[in-house]
Amino acid sequence: MKKNLLAWFIISFCALSMFPAEIMKLSEIRAGMEGTGKTIFKGTKIETFTFKVLGFIEKFAPDKDLIIVELNAPELEGGGVIAGMSGSPVYIDGKIIGAVSYGFSFSRKPIAGVTPIENILETSDYNQMAYSIDISNIKVEFDPQSNKNIAELIQTELGRRINFSHREGVQPIKLIGSNKGMNPAALAYLEPVFTPIGSVKVSQDLTKPNVDQKLFQIEPADAAAIPLIRGDFEYSASGTVSYVDGNKVYLFGHPFFNLGTVDFPLHKAEVVSVVPSFESSFRLTASKNMIGSVVQDRFSAIQGELGIVPYMIPMKVFLKNRNRKFEIEMVNHPLLTPALSAISIENIFISEFQQVGFNSITVDAKIFIENEQNIVISDMFSGTSAFGDFSNLLLAVNFFLMNNKEKRIKIQKMDFEISGSELVKRTNLENVIINKNAFNPGEIINVKLFFNNERGNLVTDEVQLKAPNMKPGSTFYLMAADKDEMARFDSKNIKSNYFPIKLNNLIRAINNLRKNNRVYFKLLAPAEGLFINGYEYSNLPLSMRDVFIYNSTSGVESEIKYSTLMEYQMEVPAVVTGKKLFKLKIKEK
């Protein structure tokens, strides 16, 4: 109901937008010409500054020139161009020539690059699929190091895109990252991307009956923000509106992330203050109410549509032993959502549990995907890296889901139930004893396990398995191990580059991920088989094996030396490590 009411206000009041300014083309501009610009230095009041055209960088990008100007305003003295000022419109003789968008890393004077208005308006001519990453050369693995590598890949890609420039020393004016209720440690992931500031809160109660129509009006030089996360805690990036034409809004004069067609929320913003600095001056900005959606993220500008409500992915986190609930929503994008989901869960962990030292968390999570099977994660993480291990796992899961090869998915929501403890919950599989080494087919194998827990206490447990139905005299193996040891064995036995192209196969692989708080048992037999498209085919006839191996389209990944006869898991109340391997036999008659 609140979202529908908000959309009604946006659509009603946006019709009051001012008539767009007349345009001065790049071909009409000459060095030495002077003009005025508009921006907000504090609050919501639009102020003016003056500038002088110094010249041009021709072919700054293919088919694009950059206008070089020197700005003049008291707020810019001693600090150069201000971060968050990108998109500020500039005019000569009342005609808009473009938007302040680039700065010079070597200059302490307010020298700026201006993106020509013609290039800015071209942004609305695009309409194509949103950005995605080709993940075909990335192996689908979910061990802690692989998950960390995916996190670093996304961070590098985001930083590269937002700071991209065709000329060395000429950089996009940084957007301001502002937050409410977020821990600096959780935001460290975004440090290379935005100019960070501390928590700022500007309260706006949109449920009050008397809503000021100015909240929903937007005009050139207004501060605007793109919230990436909003709800019980928030994170947004802000800059300046360059041009408004009816319901179309153009911002920043440079890319956000240059992601193409997008669907991000667009909010008005308020400038709290300007912080001058020789290193990096910036505007202290706070996000206010939503006015529409960002629909294009291109090289020359961001383009928004007023009155459109974007699709956001809801996330609910319930901390059971804290009896605390968090509800947020984040932007829906195959590159951003994985990172934002990890940042959000990390922020909750750091805020609610011990920040330094050993920690343990038990997680029950569900990711709901429209018209697909849900993702279920039920696991335990313990130790100094517990928070990071789970948040990186969540990042990797969402990364592979949203960039899968088959089709675009729609994540409907993400729900988490989490119990946390400041105690270490780890145990080592110290020893395994089997009652004998030869069995009849189908006979019960009594397995006794000895665990050495984090306090040095010896704990025992038992499990019963069935001997395989094999020929008398056959050899088989029993392995008891943690998930990482099992993964190492699999990688040695199966030299595979298999990638699950079908989405349902990928979802199945994620749902079948081995867990930290399990002892896994494998019964193995020597075999001469093949691993084909994610499945084992053991003891194939020689003629059939040859057909598969020499057929380049058969999907053969590797030859296998051992076939898995059975796999069983036993849950333990701790993160387990260790491995034991036994060579056993089927009794002779």
Side-chain angles (χ1 to χ4, degrees), residues 2-19:
K2 184 177 179 180
K3 181 177 284 188
N4 292 336
L5 179 65
L6 179 59
W8 182 85
F9 279 124
I10 293 172
I11 294 169
S12 299
F13 292 132
C14 284
L16 301 173
S17 297
M18 62 183 295
F19 192 78

Side-chain angles (χ1 to χ4, degrees), residues 82-149:
I82 298 171
M85 195 177 173
S86 57
S88 299
V90 287
Y91 305 83
I92 294 177
D93 296 333
K95 298 179 181 180
I96 185 169
I97 68 167
V100 174
S101 50
Y102 288 84
F104 292 82
S105 57
F106 55 82
S107 176
R108 291 186 178 182
K109 287 186 176 182
I111 307 296
V114 170
T115 300
I117 188 62
E118 298 103 305
N119 296 148
I120 291 173
L121 297 181
E122 288 171 357
T123 303
S124 59
D125 295 339
Y126 295 95
N127 187 14
Q128 62 188 49
M129 289 296 292
Y131 169 88
S132 65
I133 293 179
D134 178 13
I135 58 174
S136 58
N137 62 344
I138 304 175
K139 196 171 182 180
V140 181
E141 294 180 326
F142 293 94
D143 61 277
Q145 186 57 51
S146 296
N147 296 340
K148 186 177 179 181
N149 291 343

